[in-house]
Amino acid sequence: MTVMERVVATDQPLLKVEGLTKRYGARIGCADVSFDLFPGEVLGIVGESGSGKSTLLSCLAGQQRPDLGRVAYEGRDVLAMGETERRRLSRTDWAYVHQNPRDGLRMGVSAGGNVGERLMAVGARHYGQIRGKAADWLGRVEIAVDRIDDRPSAFSGGMQQRLQIARNLVTQPRLVFMDEPTGGLDVSVQARLLDLLRGLVRDLGLSVIIVTHDLAVVRLLAHRLMVMKSGYVVEQGLTDQVLDDPQHAYTQLLVSSVLQV
Amino acid sequence: MTDEAYNFAYLDEQTKAMIRRAILKGIAVPGYQVPFASREMPMPYGWGTGGVQVTAACLVPEDRLKVIDQGADDTTNAVSIRKFFARTAGVATTERTVEATMIQTRHRIPEVPMKAGQILVFQVPIPEPLRFLEPREAETRKMHELEEYGLMHVKLYEDIARHGQIATSYAYPVKVEGRYVMDPSPIPKFDNPKLSCSPAIQLFGAGREQRIYALPPWTKVESLDFDDHPFKATKAAHDCDLCAAGDSYLDEVIIDDQGGRMFVCSDTDFCAGRRAKGHKGRLWAPEPEAAE
Ligand SMILES: Nc1ncnc2c1ncn2[C@@H]1O[C@H](COP(=O)(O)OP(=O)(O)OP(=O)(O)O)[C@@H](O)[C@H]1O
Ligand SMILES: [Mg+2]
Ligand SMILES: [Zn+2]
């Protein structure tokens, strides 16, 4: 079954978000955000700096508590869950790829240990098998297996980001949150990482929510697109539709400014 | 004789009561690190002020106290702490494990099996076993609360990846009654099996870090490991050169500048006891002082 077939075949959303609002004192982080994410779907979130993308993502992933709204994962109320259950979910079903790989990696631990951590966190106790899986995943993200015992500090930025991705995907999560995964990388490195991500998302049938301010990332990866401004969602729809025929003045500006670059 | 200038065992009664409450809480929740308000002691932190405070809170006049440092009763550290309590509490002291009712220790568990009624007090420099990989205190507390201990195995994984085996040989992490992961203080991993199902009460005090934790008698304590790299309680593959013991933890001692070495029991009381019974090691000479 292809991803699109699966999207069509399922009518139950994996993630259902309603009226999500987060304020920082008087300032709005994000406001009244609602959407459904279906299994195998990639949702892009774009918007200028300060528009609330990271705030929204961290509320969805349970890293921050929203002030209002509901988040249901497979019908389960995420905000009503106990912390144990929510943290378990974020070690098993969910994954979070940070913009800065330093925030998502253990810099003092070898590449193999970084990839193996999630396996050990869910109870893997066979060194040989953990190492085998780590080696396999390094290969999948195009890191030479002979670097398995090196620390991430000895890796380039692009390698660190690929390592972070391997570390997150090794336990076969279903839902991956990514906050600017290609930010801070050279253009050529970005392109390669995007290619890799696209392959993994397709092969593993991942559901992804990806924050970016790079419309090229969105065009390549996202099935659907959400545009944010000042905390609010100002437009959402199928990616091609939004980009080719932007309705909101802000989206039009965003699209045209990219084309001018 | 007790020095009248001090309260019994130096600390005032209120402080001892506070420490005892922490100890009781620790005993009720084996392996859990209980915060306590550590007091200044008239000795540097490196001397085990945490252990000293726990000992002070548990001592009664009828006690017979033994103090060991790396297994030995005669190091400066052990002698000073023993003298400290002889003076401030007036308790009897001993070097014999079997005679002691309370033993304060740094880095060892005696070779002679502990008995019911004895209390073993460990000096702890760093109580948090997760510290090595997760420096944030709030986060490690959360990890204990939620039993998120995968990180401990990451540490062991790193060991095997780097050294081909689990190279951690001191402060080897344990799981207590299937619940809390605990740092057993820097005892050699050779001593880890002795922690489990001991008839004695085992108390751990960290002064600088202000933590107390405990193992009540008969607590099950397991050393963490991998299925394909099981825990092994290792020691130097020698017999003691003084008492010929083949099953005690040995220190390696350089005996001359030609690279000559000998292996001797780190537990001085155990070694002396065996020699008194007539066991003779490879290098045992009746008057070792004469060789100096
Ligand atoms: N911890 C915080 N405390 C106070 N205000 C915050 C905090 N984090 C974010 N904000 C504010 O919330 C709004 C949304 O910020 P957020 O980081 O979510 O934006 P963003 O879209 O991710 O921006 P960028 O593209 O720069 O990463 C901004 O006005 C920001 O200043
Ligand atoms: Mg952001
Ligand atoms: Zn000996």
Side-chain angles (χ1 to χ4, degrees), chain A residues 109-156:
Chain A
V109 168
S110 70
N114 264 289
V115 179
E117 181 175 347
R118 272 173 78 107
L119 296 169
M120 293 181 250
V122 295
R125 292 293 178 263
H126 190 284
Y127 174 84
Q129 285 166 11
I130 293 163
R131 196 168 169 80
K133 270 207 167 160
D136 176 45
W137 267 96
L138 290 182
R140 291 174 86 155
V141 298
E142 299 164 14
I143 293 173
V145 171
D146 65 5
R147 305 297 301 270
I148 191 167
D149 293 328
D150 292 350
R151 293 192 175 173
S153 45
F155 288 1
S156 69

Coordinates of all heavy atoms in Angstrom, one line a residue, chain A residues 109-156:
Chain A
V109 N 28.6 10.7 24.2 CA 28.4 9.3 24.0 C 28.6 8.9 22.6 O 28.3 9.7 21.7 CB 26.9 8.9 24.4 CG1 26.5 7.5 24.0 CG2 26.7 9.1 25.9
S110 N 29.2 7.8 22.3 CA 29.5 7.4 20.9 C 28.3 7.4 20.0 O 27.1 7.3 20.5 CB 30.1 6.0 20.9 OG 29.2 5.0 21.3
A111 N 28.5 7.4 18.7 CA 27.4 7.3 17.8 C 26.5 6.1 18.0 O 25.3 6.1 18.1 CB 27.9 7.3 16.3
G112 N 27.2 4.9 18.3 CA 26.4 3.7 18.5 C 25.6 3.8 19.8 O 24.5 3.4 19.8
G113 N 26.2 4.4 20.8 CA 25.4 4.6 22.1 C 24.3 5.5 21.9 O 23.2 5.3 22.5
N114 N 24.5 6.6 21.1 CA 23.4 7.5 20.8 C 22.2 6.8 20.1 O 21.1 7.0 20.5 CB 23.9 8.6 19.9 CG 24.2 9.9 20.8 OD1 23.4 10.5 21.3 ND2 25.5 10.1 20.9
V115 N 22.5 6.0 19.2 CA 21.5 5.3 18.4 C 20.8 4.2 19.3 O 19.6 4.0 19.3 CB 22.0 4.7 17.1 CG1 20.8 3.9 16.4 CG2 22.5 5.7 16.2
G116 N 21.7 3.5 20.2 CA 21.2 2.4 21.0 C 20.4 2.9 22.2 O 19.6 2.1 22.8
E117 N 20.5 4.2 22.5 CA 19.8 4.6 23.8 C 18.3 4.3 23.8 O 17.8 3.8 24.8 CB 20.0 6.1 24.0 CG 19.4 6.6 25.3 CD 19.7 8.0 25.7 OE1 20.6 8.6 25.1 OE2 19.0 8.5 26.6
R118 N 17.6 4.6 22.8 CA 16.2 4.4 22.8 C 15.8 2.9 22.9 O 14.9 2.5 23.5 CB 15.5 5.0 21.5 CG 15.1 6.5 21.7 CD 14.6 7.1 20.4 NE 13.3 6.7 20.1 CZ 12.2 7.6 20.2 NH1 12.4 8.8 20.6 NH2 11.0 7.2 19.8
L119 N 16.7 2.1 22.3 CA 16.5 0.6 22.4 C 16.6 0.2 23.8 O 15.8 -0.6 24.4 CB 17.5 -0.1 21.5 CG 17.4 0.1 20.0 CD1 18.6 -0.5 19.3 CD2 16.1 -0.5 19.5
M120 N 17.7 0.7 24.5 CA 17.9 0.3 25.9 C 16.8 0.9 26.8 O 16.4 0.3 27.7 CB 19.3 0.8 26.3 CG 20.4 0.0 25.6 SD 22.1 0.5 26.1 CE 22.6 1.4 24.6
A121 N 16.3 2.1 26.4 CA 15.3 2.7 27.2 C 14.0 1.9 27.2 O 13.2 2.0 28.1 CB 15.0 4.1 26.7
V122 N 13.8 1.1 26.1 CA 12.6 0.3 26.1 C 12.9 -1.2 26.4 O 12.1 -2.1 26.2 CB 11.8 0.4 24.8 CG1 11.3 1.8 24.6 CG2 12.7 0.0 23.6
G123 N 14.1 -1.4 27.0 CA 14.3 -2.7 27.6 C 15.3 -3.6 26.9 O 15.5 -4.7 27.3
A124 N 15.9 -3.2 25.8 CA 16.9 -4.0 25.1 C 18.1 -4.3 26.0 O 18.6 -3.4 26.6 CB 17.3 -3.4 23.8
R125 N 18.5 -5.6 26.1 CA 19.5 -5.9 27.1 C 20.5 -6.9 26.5 O 21.2 -7.6 27.2 CB 18.9 -6.6 28.3 CG 18.1 -5.7 29.2 CD 19.0 -4.6 29.8 NE 18.2 -3.7 30.6 CZ 17.7 -2.5 30.2 NH1 18.0 -2.1 29.0 NH2 17.0 -1.7 31.0
H126 N 20.6 -6.9 25.1 CA 21.6 -7.7 24.4 C 22.5 -6.8 23.7 O 22.1 -6.2 22.6 CB 20.9 -8.7 23.5 CG 21.8 -9.8 23.0 ND1 22.7 -9.5 22.0 CD2 21.9 -11.1 23.3 CE1 23.4 -10.6 21.7 NE2 22.9 -11.6 22.5
Y127 N 23.7 -6.7 24.2 CA 24.7 -5.8 23.6 C 24.9 -6.0 22.1 O 24.8 -5.1 21.3 CB 26.0 -5.9 24.3 CG 27.1 -5.1 23.7 CD1 27.3 -3.7 24.0 CD2 28.0 -5.6 22.8 CE1 28.3 -2.9 23.4 CE2 29.0 -4.9 22.2 CZ 29.1 -3.5 22.5 OH 30.1 -2.8 21.9
G128 N 25.1 -7.2 21.7 CA 25.3 -7.6 20.3 C 24.2 -7.1 19.4 O 24.4 -6.6 18.3
Q129 N 23.0 -7.3 19.9 CA 21.8 -6.9 19.1 C 21.6 -5.4 19.0 O 21.3 -4.9 17.9 CB 20.5 -7.6 19.6 CG 20.4 -9.1 19.3 CD 19.4 -9.8 20.1 OE1 18.6 -9.1 20.8 NE2 19.3 -11.1 20.1
I130 N 21.9 -4.8 20.1 CA 21.8 -3.3 20.1 C 22.8 -2.7 19.1 O 22.5 -1.8 18.3 CB 22.1 -2.8 21.6 CG1 20.9 -3.2 22.5 CG2 22.2 -1.2 21.5 CD1 21.2 -3.1 24.0
R131 N 24.0 -3.2 19.2 CA 25.1 -2.7 18.3 C 24.8 -3.0 16.9 O 25.0 -2.2 16.0 CB 26.4 -3.4 18.7 CG 27.6 -2.7 18.2 CD 28.9 -3.2 18.9 NE 30.1 -2.7 18.2 CZ 30.6 -1.5 18.4 NH1 30.0 -0.6 19.2 NH2 31.6 -1.1 17.8
G132 N 24.2 -4.2 16.6 CA 23.9 -4.6 15.3 C 22.8 -3.6 14.7 O 23.0 -3.1 13.5
K133 N 21.9 -3.3 15.5 CA 20.8 -2.3 15.1 C 21.4 -0.9 14.9 O 21.0 -0.2 13.9 CB 19.7 -2.3 16.1 CG 18.6 -3.3 15.8 CD 17.3 -2.8 16.4 CE 16.1 -3.6 15.8 NZ 14.9 -3.5 16.6
A134 N 22.3 -0.5 15.8 CA 22.9 0.8 15.6 C 23.7 0.8 14.3 O 23.6 1.8 13.6 CB 23.8 1.1 16.8
A135 N 24.4 -0.2 14.0 CA 25.2 -0.2 12.8 C 24.3 -0.2 11.6 O 24.6 0.6 10.6 CB 26.1 -1.5 12.8
D136 N 23.2 -0.9 11.6 CA 22.3 -0.9 10.5 C 21.8 0.5 10.3 O 21.7 1.0 9.2 CB 21.2 -1.9 10.9 CG 20.1 -1.8 9.8 OD1 20.4 -1.9 8.6 OD2 18.9 -1.8 10.2
W137 N 21.4 1.2 11.4 CA 20.8 2.6 11.3 C 21.9 3.6 10.8 O 21.5 4.5 10.1 CB 20.1 3.0 12.5 CG 18.7 2.6 12.4 CD1 18.1 1.5 12.9 CD2 17.7 3.3 11.7 NE1 16.8 1.5 12.5 CE2 16.5 2.6 11.8 CE3 17.7 4.5 11.0 CZ2 15.3 3.0 11.1 CZ3 16.5 4.9 10.3 CH2 15.3 4.2 10.4
L138 N 23.1 3.4 11.2 CA 24.1 4.3 10.8 C 24.2 4.2 9.2 O 24.3 5.2 8.5 CB 25.5 4.0 11.4 CG 25.6 4.4 12.9 CD1 27.0 4.1 13.4 CD2 25.2 5.9 13.1
G139 N 24.2 3.0 8.8 CA 24.2 2.8 7.3 C 23.0 3.4 6.6 O 23.2 4.1 5.6
R140 N 21.9 3.3 7.2 CA 20.7 3.9 6.6 C 20.7 5.4 6.5 O 20.1 6.0 5.6 CB 19.4 3.5 7.4 CG 19.1 2.0 7.2 CD 18.0 1.6 8.1 NE 16.7 1.8 7.4 CZ 15.6 1.2 7.7 NH1 15.6 0.2 8.6 NH2 14.5 1.4 7.1
V141 N 21.4 6.1 7.4 CA 21.6 7.5 7.3 C 22.9 7.9 6.7 O 23.4 9.0 6.9 CB 21.3 8.2 8.7 CG1 19.9 8.0 9.2 CG2 22.4 7.8 9.7
E142 N 23.5 6.9 6.1 CA 24.8 7.2 5.3 C 25.9 7.7 6.2 O 26.7 8.6 5.8 CB 24.5 8.2 4.2 CG 23.5 7.7 3.2 CD 22.9 8.7 2.3 OE1 23.4 9.8 2.2 OE2 21.8 8.5 1.6
I143 N 26.1 7.1 7.3 CA 27.3 7.3 8.1 C 28.1 6.0 8.1 O 27.5 4.9 8.4 CB 26.9 7.7 9.6 CG1 26.2 9.0 9.6 CG2 28.1 7.7 10.5 CD1 25.7 9.4 11.0
A144 N 29.3 6.1 7.8 CA 30.2 4.9 7.6 C 30.2 4.1 9.0 O 30.3 4.7 10.0 CB 31.6 5.2 7.2
V145 N 30.0 2.8 8.9 CA 29.8 2.0 10.1 C 31.1 2.0 11.0 O 31.0 1.9 12.2 CB 29.4 0.6 9.7 CG1 29.4 -0.3 11.0 CG2 28.0 0.6 9.2
D146 N 32.2 2.3 10.3 CA 33.4 2.4 11.2 C 33.5 3.6 12.0 O 34.4 3.8 12.8 CB 34.7 2.2 10.3 CG 34.9 3.4 9.3 OD1 34.1 4.3 9.4 OD2 35.8 3.3 8.5
R147 N 32.5 4.5 11.9 CA 32.4 5.7 12.8 C 31.6 5.4 14.1 O 31.3 6.3 14.9 CB 31.9 6.9 12.1 CG 32.6 7.3 10.8 CD 34.0 7.7 11.0 NE 34.2 8.8 11.9 CZ 34.2 10.1 11.6 NH1 34.1 10.4 10.3 NH2 34.4 11.0 12.4
I148 N 31.2 4.1 14.2 CA 30.2 3.8 15.3 C 30.7 4.1 16.7 O 29.9 4.4 17.6 CB 29.8 2.3 15.2 CG1 28.6 2.0 16.1 CG2 30.9 1.3 15.5 CD1 27.9 0.6 15.8
D149 N 32.0 4.1 16.9 CA 32.5 4.3 18.2 C 33.0 5.8 18.4 O 33.5 6.1 19.5 CB 33.6 3.3 18.6 CG 33.0 1.9 18.7 OD1 31.9 1.8 19.2 OD2 33.8 1.0 18.4
D150 N 32.8 6.6 17.4 CA 33.2 8.0 17.5 C 32.1 8.8 18.1 O 31.0 8.5 18.0 CB 33.5 8.6 16.1 CG 34.8 8.0 15.5 OD1 35.5 7.2 16.2 OD2 35.0 8.2 14.3
R151 N 32.5 9.9 18.8 CA 31.6 10.7 19.4 C 31.0 11.7 18.4 O 31.8 12.1 17.5 CB 32.2 11.5 20.6 CG 32.5 10.5 21.7 CD 32.9 11.2 23.0 NE 33.1 10.2 24.0 CZ 33.5 10.5 25.2 NH1 33.8 11.7 25.6 NH2 33.6 9.5 26.1
P152 N 29.8 12.2 18.6 CA 29.2 13.2 17.6 C 30.1 14.4 17.5 O 30.0 15.1 16.4 CB 27.9 13.5 18.2 CG 27.6 12.5 19.3 CD 28.9 11.8 19.6
S153 N 30.8 14.8 18.5 CA 31.6 16.0 18.4 C 32.7 15.9 17.3 O 33.2 16.9 16.8 CB 32.3 16.3 19.7 OG 32.9 15.1 20.3
A154 N 33.0 14.7 16.9 CA 34.0 14.5 15.8 C 33.3 14.5 14.4 O 33.9 14.2 13.4 CB 34.7 13.2 16.0
F155 N 31.9 14.7 14.4 CA 31.2 14.6 13.1 C 30.9 16.1 12.6 O 30.8 17.0 13.4 CB 29.8 14.0 13.4 CG 29.9 12.5 13.6 CD1 31.1 11.8 13.6 CD2 28.7 11.8 13.8 CE1 31.1 10.4 13.9 CE2 28.7 10.4 14.0 CZ 29.9 9.7 14.1
S156 N 30.7 16.2 11.3 CA 30.2 17.4 10.7 C 28.8 17.7 11.1 O 28.1 16.8 11.6 CB 30.3 17.3 9.2 OG 29.4 16.4 8.7

